[in-house]
Amino acid sequence: VAQPKPKVLFVLGGPGAGKGTQCAKIVEEFSDWAHISAGDCLRAERQDPNSKDGELIEQIIKEGKIVPVAITVKLLQKAMVASKKSCFLIDGFPRNLDNVTGWKENVGELGAQVCGVLYYEAKEDELEKRLLSRGETSGRSDDNIDSIRKRFKTYISETMPIIDEYKAKNLVYTVDGMPPADEVWKVTQGIVRQVEA
Ligand code: UP5
Ligand code: MG
């Protein structure tokens, strides 16, 4: 019997919009789904002393720029296989045109069906506040005001146009990311139910 094609939801939104927080809640409630954070994959690879890409990844993350897709997509695929799940939340990817092309070439429509984009919308001043406060304990090398501003810039110039492209294809589920996380969760939950159905 043929296996059903894996489902994918891309999860996008500005830095600190709540992508990771909401994905964690989704996988708690919906057992078919795996949470694959591109940023987490890259940070783990950076920590691996055997990786030849570690230094490059660190430099790019600090500058709020985007890692070449060949590196990212390889890590995403590895994590997807390791999860043994059939539905994937791909958190923080694709962030630019290079990412979209690299996904299509390496995973593509044969590998997985992209059901849509879960998009968390929030204002920059709120995001800055969240990230600075997280930065007190996160240990993330990009949770400082310099890197945060650079991340915003990249988000506006490179990621927003990608979200707009998916919007034009009617593939975007826009969620207001400004209310408290529990309220955002109620909306998120409804969308995942709809995607699963
Ligand atoms: N928080 C969450 N929800 C809240 C709410 N509703 N109200 C109040 N507070 C809320 O949340 C951030 C903080 O806000 C937390 O303290 C949380 O408690 C609180 P989180 O859920 O972590 O938000 P998230 O959107 O996941 O923020 P994150 O910082 O992870 O977003 P980024 O997109 O900046 O980070 P990511 O890890 O995806 O990428 C980091 C870097 O890696 C990129 O800048 C880039 O350099 C690189 N990268 C690539 O190059 N390619 C990729 O494909 C992916 C990443
Ligand atoms: Mg995150």
Side-chain angles (χ1 to χ4, degrees), residues 95-133:
R95 293 175 111 87
N96 63 7
L97 198 57
D98 177 53
N99 281 183
V100 173
T101 311
W103 174 272
K104 283 187 187 149
E105 285 175 3
N106 290 280
V107 185
E109 287 302 312
L110 283 175
Q113 185 200 351
V114 177
C115 305
V117 176
L118 199 48
Y119 166 47
Y120 293 95
E121 204 168 37
K123 292 204 182 75
E124 179 165 342
D125 58 344
E126 165 71 10
L127 300 185
E128 188 175 292
K129 246 191 295 179
R130 288 182 191 176
L131 294 176
L132 284 175
S133 126

Short mmCIF file of all heavy atoms in Angstrom, two decimals, residues 95-133:
data_model
loop_
_atom_site.label_atom_id
_atom_site.label_comp_id
_atom_site.label_asym_id
_atom_site.label_seq_id
_atom_site.Cartn_x
_atom_site.Cartn_y
_atom_site.Cartn_z
N ARG A 95 13.27 31.29 4.23
CA ARG A 95 13.46 32.70 4.58
C ARG A 95 13.79 33.59 3.41
O ARG A 95 13.81 34.81 3.55
CB ARG A 95 14.61 32.83 5.58
CG ARG A 95 14.33 32.22 6.92
CD ARG A 95 15.57 32.30 7.75
NE ARG A 95 15.44 33.22 8.85
CZ ARG A 95 14.95 32.89 10.05
NH1 ARG A 95 14.52 31.68 10.29
NH2 ARG A 95 14.90 33.78 10.99
N ASN A 96 14.15 33.01 2.27
CA ASN A 96 14.45 33.82 1.08
C ASN A 96 14.24 32.96 -0.18
O ASN A 96 13.87 31.78 -0.08
CB ASN A 96 15.88 34.40 1.14
CG ASN A 96 16.96 33.32 1.15
OD1 ASN A 96 16.67 32.14 0.98
ND2 ASN A 96 18.20 33.74 1.32
N LEU A 97 14.51 33.56 -1.31
CA LEU A 97 14.28 32.88 -2.58
C LEU A 97 15.18 31.65 -2.74
O LEU A 97 14.74 30.60 -3.20
CB LEU A 97 14.53 33.87 -3.72
CG LEU A 97 13.93 33.50 -5.06
CD1 LEU A 97 12.43 33.29 -4.95
CD2 LEU A 97 14.25 34.58 -6.09
N ASP A 98 16.43 31.81 -2.32
CA ASP A 98 17.39 30.71 -2.35
C ASP A 98 16.85 29.51 -1.57
O ASP A 98 16.93 28.36 -2.02
CB ASP A 98 18.71 31.24 -1.73
CG ASP A 98 19.81 30.20 -1.61
OD1 ASP A 98 20.12 29.57 -2.64
OD2 ASP A 98 20.35 30.04 -0.50
N ASN A 99 16.25 29.77 -0.41
CA ASN A 99 15.65 28.70 0.41
C ASN A 99 14.51 28.00 -0.33
O ASN A 99 14.40 26.78 -0.29
CB ASN A 99 15.09 29.28 1.73
CG ASN A 99 16.14 29.57 2.79
OD1 ASN A 99 15.81 29.97 3.90
ND2 ASN A 99 17.41 29.38 2.48
N VAL A 100 13.66 28.79 -0.99
CA VAL A 100 12.51 28.21 -1.70
C VAL A 100 13.00 27.30 -2.82
O VAL A 100 12.55 26.16 -2.98
CB VAL A 100 11.60 29.33 -2.29
CG1 VAL A 100 10.52 28.74 -3.18
CG2 VAL A 100 10.97 30.15 -1.16
N THR A 101 13.97 27.79 -3.58
CA THR A 101 14.53 27.02 -4.69
C THR A 101 15.19 25.74 -4.17
O THR A 101 14.98 24.66 -4.72
CB THR A 101 15.57 27.87 -5.45
OG1 THR A 101 14.99 29.13 -5.72
CG2 THR A 101 15.98 27.21 -6.75
N GLY A 102 15.98 25.89 -3.12
CA GLY A 102 16.69 24.73 -2.56
C GLY A 102 15.74 23.67 -2.02
O GLY A 102 16.00 22.48 -2.14
N TRP A 103 14.64 24.11 -1.45
CA TRP A 103 13.63 23.16 -0.96
C TRP A 103 13.02 22.39 -2.13
O TRP A 103 12.94 21.17 -2.12
CB TRP A 103 12.53 23.89 -0.18
CG TRP A 103 11.40 23.00 0.21
CD1 TRP A 103 10.28 22.70 -0.52
CD2 TRP A 103 11.30 22.24 1.43
NE1 TRP A 103 9.48 21.82 0.16
CE2 TRP A 103 10.07 21.52 1.36
CE3 TRP A 103 12.10 22.11 2.56
CZ2 TRP A 103 9.64 20.68 2.40
CZ3 TRP A 103 11.66 21.27 3.59
CH2 TRP A 103 10.45 20.57 3.51
N LYS A 104 12.62 23.14 -3.17
CA LYS A 104 11.98 22.50 -4.33
C LYS A 104 12.92 21.50 -4.98
O LYS A 104 12.51 20.41 -5.36
CB LYS A 104 11.57 23.56 -5.36
CG LYS A 104 10.31 24.31 -4.97
CD LYS A 104 9.84 25.23 -6.09
CE LYS A 104 8.69 26.11 -5.62
NZ LYS A 104 8.69 27.42 -6.30
N GLU A 105 14.19 21.87 -5.10
CA GLU A 105 15.15 20.99 -5.77
C GLU A 105 15.47 19.74 -4.95
O GLU A 105 15.74 18.69 -5.51
CB GLU A 105 16.44 21.76 -6.08
CG GLU A 105 16.26 22.72 -7.24
CD GLU A 105 17.49 23.59 -7.50
OE1 GLU A 105 18.51 23.41 -6.79
OE2 GLU A 105 17.40 24.46 -8.37
N ASN A 106 15.48 19.88 -3.63
CA ASN A 106 15.93 18.76 -2.79
C ASN A 106 14.81 17.95 -2.17
O ASN A 106 14.96 16.75 -1.97
CB ASN A 106 16.85 19.28 -1.68
CG ASN A 106 18.17 19.75 -2.24
OD1 ASN A 106 19.04 18.94 -2.51
ND2 ASN A 106 18.31 21.06 -2.45
N VAL A 107 13.73 18.59 -1.81
CA VAL A 107 12.61 17.87 -1.21
C VAL A 107 11.48 17.79 -2.23
O VAL A 107 11.05 16.71 -2.62
CB VAL A 107 12.13 18.54 0.10
CG1 VAL A 107 11.05 17.70 0.76
CG2 VAL A 107 13.30 18.75 1.06
N GLY A 108 11.04 18.96 -2.66
CA GLY A 108 10.12 19.03 -3.79
C GLY A 108 8.75 18.47 -3.51
O GLY A 108 8.46 17.97 -2.45
N GLU A 109 7.91 18.56 -4.50
CA GLU A 109 6.52 18.14 -4.36
C GLU A 109 6.40 16.61 -4.27
O GLU A 109 5.43 16.08 -3.78
CB GLU A 109 5.68 18.67 -5.53
CG GLU A 109 5.41 20.17 -5.45
CD GLU A 109 4.68 20.57 -4.16
OE1 GLU A 109 3.68 19.92 -3.80
OE2 GLU A 109 5.14 21.52 -3.50
N LEU A 110 7.41 15.90 -4.76
CA LEU A 110 7.35 14.43 -4.67
C LEU A 110 7.56 13.98 -3.23
O LEU A 110 6.92 13.06 -2.75
CB LEU A 110 8.44 13.81 -5.55
CG LEU A 110 8.13 13.81 -7.04
CD1 LEU A 110 9.33 13.28 -7.82
CD2 LEU A 110 6.90 12.97 -7.34
N GLY A 111 8.47 14.68 -2.55
CA GLY A 111 8.81 14.29 -1.19
C GLY A 111 7.76 14.66 -0.18
O GLY A 111 7.51 13.92 0.77
N ALA A 112 7.16 15.81 -0.34
CA ALA A 112 6.23 16.29 0.67
C ALA A 112 5.29 17.33 0.08
O ALA A 112 5.67 18.08 -0.80
CB ALA A 112 7.01 16.91 1.83
N GLN A 113 4.06 17.33 0.59
CA GLN A 113 3.10 18.31 0.11
C GLN A 113 3.06 19.51 1.05
O GLN A 113 2.73 19.37 2.23
CB GLN A 113 1.71 17.67 0.05
CG GLN A 113 0.68 18.59 -0.57
CD GLN A 113 -0.73 18.19 -0.22
OE1 GLN A 113 -0.97 17.13 0.35
NE2 GLN A 113 -1.67 19.07 -0.54
N VAL A 114 3.42 20.67 0.53
CA VAL A 114 3.37 21.88 1.34
C VAL A 114 1.91 22.34 1.42
O VAL A 114 1.32 22.78 0.43
CB VAL A 114 4.27 22.99 0.76
CG1 VAL A 114 4.14 24.26 1.59
CG2 VAL A 114 5.72 22.53 0.72
N CYS A 115 1.32 22.18 2.62
CA CYS A 115 -0.09 22.50 2.80
C CYS A 115 -0.31 23.99 3.01
O CYS A 115 -1.42 24.48 2.88
CB CYS A 115 -0.66 21.82 4.03
SG CYS A 115 -0.43 20.07 4.04
N GLY A 116 0.71 24.69 3.40
CA GLY A 116 0.54 26.12 3.62
C GLY A 116 1.61 26.68 4.52
O GLY A 116 2.57 25.99 4.89
N VAL A 117 1.42 27.96 4.84
CA VAL A 117 2.36 28.68 5.69
C VAL A 117 1.59 29.20 6.91
O VAL A 117 0.58 29.88 6.76
CB VAL A 117 2.98 29.88 4.94
CG1 VAL A 117 3.88 30.70 5.87
CG2 VAL A 117 3.74 29.42 3.71
N LEU A 118 2.06 28.82 8.07
CA LEU A 118 1.52 29.34 9.31
C LEU A 118 2.33 30.60 9.62
O LEU A 118 3.53 30.51 9.88
CB LEU A 118 1.71 28.27 10.38
CG LEU A 118 0.91 28.27 11.66
CD1 LEU A 118 -0.57 28.47 11.41
CD2 LEU A 118 1.14 26.91 12.36
N TYR A 119 1.66 31.74 9.57
CA TYR A 119 2.39 33.00 9.61
C TYR A 119 1.99 33.81 10.84
O TYR A 119 0.83 34.21 10.97
CB TYR A 119 2.13 33.77 8.31
CG TYR A 119 2.54 35.22 8.34
CD1 TYR A 119 3.79 35.61 8.83
CD2 TYR A 119 1.69 36.22 7.86
CE1 TYR A 119 4.16 36.95 8.85
CE2 TYR A 119 2.05 37.56 7.87
CZ TYR A 119 3.29 37.91 8.37
OH TYR A 119 3.64 39.23 8.40
N TYR A 120 2.94 34.04 11.73
CA TYR A 120 2.69 34.81 12.96
C TYR A 120 3.10 36.26 12.74
O TYR A 120 4.26 36.55 12.46
CB TYR A 120 3.44 34.18 14.14
CG TYR A 120 2.87 32.84 14.46
CD1 TYR A 120 3.43 31.67 13.95
CD2 TYR A 120 1.69 32.75 15.20
CE1 TYR A 120 2.85 30.44 14.19
CE2 TYR A 120 1.10 31.52 15.44
CZ TYR A 120 1.68 30.37 14.94
OH TYR A 120 1.09 29.15 15.17
N GLU A 121 2.09 37.13 12.90
CA GLU A 121 2.29 38.55 12.63
C GLU A 121 2.39 39.29 13.96
O GLU A 121 1.55 39.10 14.83
CB GLU A 121 1.06 39.05 11.86
CG GLU A 121 1.30 40.25 11.02
CD GLU A 121 0.10 40.48 10.09
OE1 GLU A 121 -1.05 40.24 10.50
OE2 GLU A 121 0.33 40.91 8.95
N ALA A 122 3.45 40.10 14.11
CA ALA A 122 3.58 40.89 15.34
C ALA A 122 4.43 42.12 15.08
O ALA A 122 5.23 42.15 14.14
CB ALA A 122 4.19 40.04 16.45
N LYS A 123 4.22 43.14 15.91
CA LYS A 123 4.91 44.40 15.70
C LYS A 123 6.35 44.34 16.17
O LYS A 123 6.68 43.67 17.15
CB LYS A 123 4.19 45.51 16.48
CG LYS A 123 2.82 45.84 15.95
CD LYS A 123 2.43 47.27 16.35
CE LYS A 123 1.04 47.62 15.87
NZ LYS A 123 0.01 46.96 16.72
N GLU A 124 7.17 45.11 15.47
CA GLU A 124 8.61 45.07 15.73
C GLU A 124 8.97 45.45 17.17
O GLU A 124 9.85 44.83 17.78
CB GLU A 124 9.34 45.99 14.73
CG GLU A 124 10.83 46.02 14.96
CD GLU A 124 11.61 46.61 13.80
OE1 GLU A 124 11.09 46.68 12.67
OE2 GLU A 124 12.78 46.98 14.03
N ASP A 125 8.31 46.46 17.74
CA ASP A 125 8.71 46.88 19.10
C ASP A 125 8.40 45.79 20.12
O ASP A 125 9.14 45.58 21.08
CB ASP A 125 8.11 48.25 19.49
CG ASP A 125 6.60 48.28 19.42
OD1 ASP A 125 6.01 47.38 18.79
OD2 ASP A 125 6.00 49.20 20.00
N GLU A 126 7.31 45.06 19.90
CA GLU A 126 6.97 43.94 20.79
C GLU A 126 8.03 42.82 20.65
O GLU A 126 8.48 42.25 21.64
CB GLU A 126 5.57 43.40 20.43
CG GLU A 126 5.23 42.03 21.00
CD GLU A 126 4.99 42.01 22.51
OE1 GLU A 126 4.90 43.10 23.11
OE2 GLU A 126 4.91 40.89 23.08
N LEU A 127 8.41 42.54 19.42
CA LEU A 127 9.38 41.46 19.18
C LEU A 127 10.73 41.82 19.81
O LEU A 127 11.38 40.98 20.43
CB LEU A 127 9.54 41.21 17.68
CG LEU A 127 8.26 40.79 16.96
CD1 LEU A 127 8.55 40.45 15.50
CD2 LEU A 127 7.59 39.62 17.65
N GLU A 128 11.11 43.06 19.66
CA GLU A 128 12.38 43.50 20.23
C GLU A 128 12.37 43.31 21.76
O GLU A 128 13.34 42.81 22.33
CB GLU A 128 12.62 44.97 19.87
CG GLU A 128 14.00 45.45 20.26
CD GLU A 128 14.26 46.88 19.78
OE1 GLU A 128 14.35 47.09 18.56
OE2 GLU A 128 14.34 47.77 20.65
N LYS A 129 11.25 43.69 22.37
CA LYS A 129 11.12 43.52 23.82
C LYS A 129 11.27 42.04 24.21
O LYS A 129 11.98 41.69 25.15
CB LYS A 129 9.73 44.03 24.28
CG LYS A 129 9.81 45.26 25.16
CD LYS A 129 8.46 45.57 25.81
CE LYS A 129 7.41 45.97 24.77
NZ LYS A 129 6.07 46.27 25.30
N ARG A 130 10.55 41.18 23.49
CA ARG A 130 10.60 39.74 23.80
C ARG A 130 12.02 39.20 23.67
O ARG A 130 12.48 38.44 24.53
CB ARG A 130 9.72 38.95 22.82
CG ARG A 130 8.24 39.13 23.03
CD ARG A 130 7.46 38.28 22.04
NE ARG A 130 6.05 38.63 22.04
CZ ARG A 130 5.16 38.10 21.22
NH1 ARG A 130 5.53 37.20 20.32
NH2 ARG A 130 3.89 38.46 21.28
N LEU A 131 12.70 39.57 22.61
CA LEU A 131 14.02 38.99 22.35
C LEU A 131 15.06 39.51 23.33
O LEU A 131 15.92 38.76 23.79
CB LEU A 131 14.46 39.26 20.91
CG LEU A 131 13.60 38.56 19.85
CD1 LEU A 131 14.05 38.97 18.44
CD2 LEU A 131 13.64 37.05 19.99
N LEU A 132 14.96 40.80 23.69
CA LEU A 132 15.91 41.35 24.66
C LEU A 132 15.71 40.66 26.01
O LEU A 132 16.67 40.34 26.70
CB LEU A 132 15.73 42.86 24.79
CG LEU A 132 16.30 43.68 23.63
CD1 LEU A 132 15.95 45.16 23.79
CD2 LEU A 132 17.81 43.48 23.50
N SER A 133 14.46 40.41 26.35
CA SER A 133 14.20 39.78 27.65
C SER A 133 14.65 38.31 27.60
O SER A 133 15.27 37.82 28.55
CB SER A 133 12.73 39.98 28.02
OG SER A 133 12.10 38.79 28.30
#
